[in-house]
Amino acid sequence: MKDFFKKLPEQAVRVAVVFLVFVAVVFVIRQFIIPPEMKEPALQQASSMEREVAKEIQYAGAQICEQCHEKEPQIKKIGYHRDLSCESCHGAAQKHVENPTEVKPTSPKKRDYCAYCHKYNSSRPTGFPQINPDTHNPRKPCITCHNPHNPKPPTTPRSCAACHAQIERAKAASYHALIACSVCHTAPEKHKTSPRTVIPTKPDKREFCGKCHDKGSPRKGAPTVDMAAHGEKYVCWQCHYPHTLGGI
Ligand code: HEC
Ligand code: HEC
Ligand code: HEC
Ligand code: HEC
Ligand code: HEC
Ligand code: HEC
Ligand code: HEC
Ligand code: HEC
């Protein structure tokens, strides 16, 4: 046996020693250092459940407020903010629910809070009510004119840009800048107060654009094309989107 080791080249012995040390280290790490939860999926699940359950509950949920507050949920249900939960404005309120008289939730009374959702941002969906906080009745808190639980504007919005600001801005930089929205869309007044129940019209035929752009059109100032040959059978806005022409 001794001879056998003697016969081995010295390097092989070293490699063997290094290998044994490596195996020993791996064994020690696996056995004693890595916690059992990291090796056993069942243990891991149980321990993360335990950890999450031990966390303090912060939010009370969307339903519970109604149990003690009658008025605000009733008002909110019928208004524009019906889909916002109470805690999205009043903050995490579990502590308040547990101890209503001692712990009071905050009420966001400053302008910048409302602006968080309503400040103009071109990535918001078309039709979402947006304002420019610097020019929209500056300095007064929003809640002097809008009830936060039913923020119906005190008067009907004047312009289409109130909710279609992105289109308004694109159009302002296009060839159609001087053509009012109402030339191409018939929007009943009620669309401005219940936008999803009354939908305005949209042009649906090539001839609509032809009113100004047909080569025989009596209108002055608009470049004309031969409607019969130009763009063939396609509707014009498949190639020229009328809000963005020549603009962005
Ligand atoms: C167990 C009953 C109870 C529940 C549930 C409850 N509240 Fe209250 N809340 C109260 C009471 C009582 C007051 C204090 C009224 C007072 O001071 O006159 C109060 C006051 C408030 C106030 C006014 C704070 C102030 O400064 O005057 C707000 C805002 C409020 N609650 C929001 C909520 C929200 C949001 C929820 C749901 C997450 C909720 N509450 C759930 C009982 C409750
Ligand atoms: C869009 C944000 C917003 C939402 C959503 C909201 N609130 Fe409020 N709430 C406010 C603001 C802002 C005030 C402060 C109003 C004021 O001082 O005139 C307030 C005030 C209150 C008050 C105190 C009323 C008082 O007379 O002092 C209660 C209670 C309350 N809210 C409960 C609720 C409940 C319950 C819900 C959910 C049904 C809810 N709020 C949803 C913004 C909101
Ligand atoms: C978490 C986002 C959020 C916050 C914060 C918020 N709102 Fe709203 N607001 C909405 C949504 C969503 C609508 C409904 C939009 C719709 O019907 O398409 C809305 C609608 C409105 C409208 C209706 C405009 C119209 O003519 O259609 C007004 C006014 C308004 N909010 C004012 C406020 C005020 C004032 C505050 C601050 C107290 C506030 N909002 C805070 C999300 C928010
Ligand atoms: C002095 C009263 C007053 C104040 C303060 C006020 N608004 Fe208005 N708001 C109105 C009126 C009036 C309208 C409807 C007419 C119009 O279009 O300007 C309106 C309309 C809106 C609309 C619908 C879109 C529009 O342009 O018509 C939104 C959204 C809105 N307000 C949010 C806010 C927010 C957010 C604040 C605070 C940063 C705020 N308002 C402050 C009076 C006010
Ligand atoms: C109070 C907010 C608001 C005002 C003000 C408003 N709209 Fe809208 N508009 C909407 C909403 C919300 C939609 C639906 C968007 C959706 O379903 O994606 C819409 C949809 C439309 C559509 C598309 C209809 C369709 O079939 O897709 C047109 C066109 C339109 N509005 C034109 C106008 C014109 C023109 C004005 C001004 C006279 C105007 N809107 C004022 C909120 C408004
Ligand atoms: C020169 C005619 C013209 C003018 C001016 C015009 N539109 Fe349009 N609009 C159209 C056409 C065409 C469509 C597309 C119809 C389709 O896709 O079926 C459209 C589509 C829309 C839509 C639905 C699709 C989208 O892009 O969101 C809305 C909302 C809308 N317009 C609002 C407005 C508003 C608000 C104004 C004024 C700021 C305006 N339009 C000005 C012709 C016009
Ligand atoms: C009320 C008249 C009117 C209507 C309706 C109208 N336009 Fe125009 N359009 C104009 C005018 C005026 C100009 C030229 C503006 C300028 O040169 O400053 C123009 C410019 C254009 C241009 C740019 C041409 C160039 O020089 O590159 C195109 C493309 C166009 N319109 C397409 C359309 C389409 C598509 C429709 C239908 C959805 C439409 N227009 C509806 C009046 C109209
Ligand atoms: C298949 C795509 C396509 C369709 C559909 C289309 N156009 Fe065009 N249009 C173009 C192109 C490309 C140009 C620029 C080259 C040219 O002058 O032919 C143009 C140019 C124009 C011009 C500018 C002409 C000038 O003298 O400056 C007008 C106005 C115009 N189109 C209106 C329309 C109207 C109105 C319709 C619907 C009846 C329409 N287009 C349909 C692709 C199209």
Side-chain angles (χ1 to χ4, degrees):
M1 194 64 181
K2 222 173 164 191
D3 283 354
F4 172 74
F5 277 114
K6 272 205 179 135
K7 263 192 228 142
L8 279 175
E10 210 184 314
Q11 306 92 298
V13 176
R14 280 202 212 122
V15 167
V17 170
V18 168
F19 179 70
L20 285 179
V21 169
F22 176 72
V23 169
V25 168
V26 168
F27 179 79
V28 168
I29 290 178
R30 220 190 116 70
Q31 214 53 30
F32 302 108
I33 298 183
I34 298 180
E37 297 87 50
M38 283 179 79
K39 290 179 282 189
E40 265 298 317
L43 277 180
Q44 183 185 27
Q45 209 176 9
S47 84
S48 35
M49 291 270 275
E50 208 174 287
R51 192 181 63 230
E52 293 304 315
V53 167
K55 276 187 186 162
E56 204 181 349
I57 294 175
Q58 308 269 356
Y59 287 89
Q63 273 98 39
I64 196 155
C65 318
E66 287 189 46
Q67 287 180 13
C68 306
H69 297 282
E70 255 181 56
K71 198 176 79 196
E72 291 81 11
Q74 284 308 324
I75 302 175
K76 192 169 79 69
K77 255 180 215 151
I78 52 157
Y80 286 111
H81 279 165
R82 67 179 90 78
D83 294 330
L84 302 190
S85 88
C86 311
E87 286 171 303
S88 58
C89 292
H90 289 292
Q94 175 63 21
K95 288 213 177 74
H96 167 66
V97 168
E98 285 163 11
N99 192 350
T101 41
E102 296 285 312
V103 188
K104 296 280 168 64
T106 53
S107 294
K109 296 184 185 179
K110 294 224 184 84
R111 289 174 66 89
D112 52 357
Y113 190 77
C114 312
Y116 186 66
C117 292
H118 288 291
K119 185 180 173 170
Y120 176 72
N121 176 337
S122 61
S123 67
R124 298 208 158 113
T126 186
F128 188 79
Q130 303 182 49
I131 50 136
N132 175 353
D134 298 333
T135 54
H136 184 78
N137 306 300
R139 282 186 285 279
K140 281 196 198 129
C142 318
I143 54 176
T144 46
C145 306
H146 303 283
N147 179 341
H149 303 125
N150 180 9
K152 192 175 183 303
T155 60
T156 307
R158 280 181 293 270
S159 85
C160 311
C163 308
H164 298 289
Q166 192 187 0
I167 295 175
E168 168 80 16
R169 287 185 182 210
K171 189 173 81 66
S174 82
Y175 281 114
H176 284 158
L178 299 179
I179 301 177
C181 313
S182 56
V183 172
C184 303
H185 301 286
T186 307
E189 196 60 12
K190 191 148 184 271
H191 175 67
K192 293 180 174 176
T193 48
S194 303
R196 285 191 176 78
T197 56
V198 188
I199 298 293
T201 62
K202 291 186 290 191
D204 59 356
K205 287 195 209 67
R206 302 163 54 85
E207 287 69 34
F208 179 84
C209 311
K211 281 195 294 192
C212 298
H213 290 296
D214 186 13
K215 68 178 184 330
S217 162
R219 290 286 258 275
K220 296 271 179 296
T224 56
V225 290
D226 177 0
M227 293 281 288
H230 184 83
E232 299 175 48
K233 58 189 185 295
Y234 302 104
V235 286
C236 317
W237 45 95
Q238 256 172 301
C239 300
H240 310 285
Y241 210 71
H243 304 155
T244 51
L245 284 175
I248 34 170

